[in-house]
Amino acid sequence: MFKLSHKKLITISAVAATVTFTACVGADTGSSLNTEGKTKYVVSHTYDFNGKKVIDGGVSYPTVNGFTGPYAVNEKARTIAYNKGRAATPAEIKAWDVDVMYMGPYPEGHGTVEEGEAIYEEKCLACHGDFGSGAANVGIYPALTKGNAYELQKTLTNQRLLPDDDGPVRVFGSYWPYPSTALWYIKTGMPHPSPKSLSWNETYALVAYMLNLNELKVDGEVVEDDDFELNQDNFGKIEMPNVNGFVPDIKGVKGLENIRTYLNTPKNYGARTLSDDGRCMHDCLKEVKVQGISIEQKNFLPPLSEEKSLPKKKEGAAEAKIKEVYASACAMCHDSGAADAPIFGNKAQWAKFLKKGMKKVYANGINGVNAMPPKGGTRLSESKFKSVVDYIVKHSK
């Protein structure tokens, strides 16, 4: 679960890739009546190697007398034999059995930023875009960076309350708590057409390049130089800004117990236990359903509200942002009249354009006209770009 430190935010649940579940080796059973009060079904609780219930406190429903839980099953269909595939060999299992824990030890290997950039351009750019810029460029896979990770981590408390509000930026550098996930994922799953084809040296080099793109620090120093080398010795010194951004805390010898305690206390994530197996199927008191989870309003801090109106838009904040865009992308021409651009605030010059109507003014700006590139060379959405046009026109009437 991602932790947000903002008094106006409600708790939201998310699956953290860093949670490790323990294999189940035992079970006990209990019985319950089905929805009609006639047929009993079996609820099986599973335990780990230490005799404790599995981390998530989950249960299973063995098939008994034609029922799995309260649901009937087709017993005949379950007996059909499958003759496709085969059991994996020990060598195949070993090849895929790759694990990189956040606290190490880390695999032997090394690679520089420069080496990583060359590998990235050959094997990764087609999906992740120039310099890790992501889907905005190529429309396929997510961005690996959006700038300085430490600054972007501060956006994680942002809320999109209004259409043009900036939301949280969740990329490798700003969101992920541990870089070990990247090392493991790249090694086992990338590049997409040929996973596990990279050596550990190549994998270290790619992560080094990602550190450089995200302006992350290693042992207190920002990774800036192309000849910076990442290896098994300094990997643990990578400083991720969101390392403490998730709950529960999984670090250290008490990590698994922290997870067990957290997940077995429903109020931690706005849920409540309404039956022996922790699930509510129907007639579950007065409750609110959020993404299938039964919750009570009082379990949220602050409490959930049914108020539908949006907060009042703060005057001045939006215009300040528009001014910033204008100064960086428009002022060069519209303050000086370069390339025959109508000057900001010059009513006479803008009058002839406004005679054609705002629809035409918008179209010229969005599609480009004369020496002006589409959207002034920015990557703004059409709605945000129109806001900039409105700002210019407002001060030129």
Side-chain angles (χ1 to χ4, degrees):
M1 178 176 286
F2 177 58
K3 176 179 67 178
L4 296 176
S5 56
H6 195 294
K7 65 181 180 180
K8 293 185 178 179
L9 295 177
I10 63 171
T11 304
I12 59 173
S13 61
V15 177
T18 50
V19 174
T20 302
F21 292 95
T22 308
C24 306
V25 296
D28 67 358
T29 59
S31 61
S32 302
L33 295 177
N34 70 359
T35 56
E36 298 167 346
K38 296 178 181 179
T39 306
K40 287 188 175 182
Y41 62 85
V42 174
V43 179
S44 179
H45 296 272
T46 48
Y47 292 80
D48 64 16
F49 293 102
N50 297 314
K52 297 182 178 181
K53 286 185 178 180
V54 289
I55 291 297
D56 63 351
V59 299
S60 60
Y61 298 87
T63 300
V64 177
N65 298 325
F67 279 82
T68 174
Y71 303 104
V73 297
N74 185 336
E75 291 279 18
K76 184 176 181 180
R78 293 170 59 88
T79 62
I80 297 175
Y82 293 92
N83 59 2
K84 304 296 182 183
R86 60 171 176 78
T89 66
E92 288 170 334
I93 294 174
K94 183 178 180 180
W96 282 99
D97 187 16
V98 178
D99 195 12
V100 183
M101 297 299 290
Y102 72 92
M103 69 287 197
Y106 306 108
E108 291 187 10
H110 57 86
T112 66
V113 172
E114 185 176 19
E115 292 167 341
E117 183 177 15
I119 297 168
Y120 180 89
E121 290 181 353
E122 178 186 354
K123 301 183 178 183
C124 314
L125 183 148
C127 289
H128 291 285
D130 291 323
F131 307 107
S133 56
N137 277 11
V138 295
I140 303 176
Y141 290 105
L144 303 178
T145 181
K146 290 292 184 181
N148 183 283
Y150 304 99
E151 290 300 316
L152 293 177
Q153 193 269 346
K154 299 174 184 177
T155 72
L156 297 182
T157 56
N158 288 358
Q159 297 184 83
R160 285 194 180 97
L161 299 177
L162 298 169
D164 288 339
D165 284 349
D166 291 327
V169 179
R170 299 187 185 98
V171 292
F172 161 71
S174 66
Y175 186 63
W176 293 25
Y178 306 111
S180 53
T181 307
L183 195 68
W184 167 82
Y185 187 73
I186 293 171
K187 173 62 178 173
T188 59
M190 293 288 114
H192 187 65
S194 52
K196 292 187 70 66
S197 62
L198 297 172
S199 68
W200 279 115
N201 286 350
E202 291 174 313
T203 306
Y204 270 105
L206 283 170
V207 176
Y209 182 55
M210 289 170 62
L211 299 182
N212 173 263
L213 293 177
N214 284 271
E215 300 177 31
L216 285 165
K217 297 177 182 178
V218 177
D219 200 18
E221 297 292 331
V222 177
V223 177
E224 296 179 315
D225 298 333
D226 288 346
D227 58 359
F228 168 82
E229 181 184 272
L230 184 65
N231 54 55
Q232 71 270 20
D233 296 323
N234 62 6
F235 192 86
K237 298 178 181 179
I238 299 172
E239 300 175 19
M240 301 295 287
N242 204 39
V243 64
N244 296 315
F246 288 81
V247 291
D249 184 4
I250 70 168
K251 298 188 292 296
V253 295
K254 295 183 178 180
L256 292 180
E257 284 306 313
N258 289 343
I259 297 170
R260 190 192 315 277
T261 300
Y262 187 90
L263 294 180
N264 280 282
T265 307
K267 68 179 182 180
N268 285 335
Y269 42 92
R272 61 173 300 195
T273 301
L274 296 171
S275 62
D276 290 340
D277 59 78
R279 290 166 174 79
C280 173
M281 304 301 292
H282 56 81
D283 300 327
C284 301
L285 306 178
K286 292 181 180 180
E287 62 192 59
V288 179
K289 292 267 187 175
V290 177
Q291 295 183 348
I293 300 174
S294 299
I295 60 176
E296 279 194 324
Q297 288 182 320
K298 67 181 182 181
N299 286 332
F300 280 98
L301 293 175
L304 283 176
S305 172
E306 294 182 0
E307 173 63 41
K308 302 299 183 183
S309 61
L310 291 172
K312 292 182 179 179
K313 193 170 184 179
K314 293 181 180 179
E315 292 297 330
E319 185 161 310
K321 188 175 292 186
I322 292 173
K323 285 182 179 180
E324 184 180 335
V325 174
Y326 175 82
S328 62
C330 316
M332 182 187 302
C333 293
H334 287 284
D335 276 3
S336 63
D340 295 325
I343 296 176
F344 178 86
N346 190 314
K347 299 178 181 180
Q349 289 188 14
W350 276 96
K352 63 179 181 180
F353 291 96
L354 295 177
K355 285 181 180 180
K356 300 177 182 179
M358 284 301 296
K359 187 175 181 180
K360 182 63 175 178
V361 175
Y362 288 144
N364 285 343
I366 292 170
N367 300 317
V369 60
N370 299 329
M372 179 178 171
K375 296 182 184 177
T378 70
R379 294 170 62 181
L380 296 173
S381 65
E382 285 195 8
S383 62
K384 286 188 177 181
F385 182 79
K386 287 180 179 179
S387 297
V388 178
V389 175
D390 290 341
Y391 166 76
I392 296 174
V393 170
K394 173 184 175 182
H395 292 279
S396 299
K397 287 185 178 180

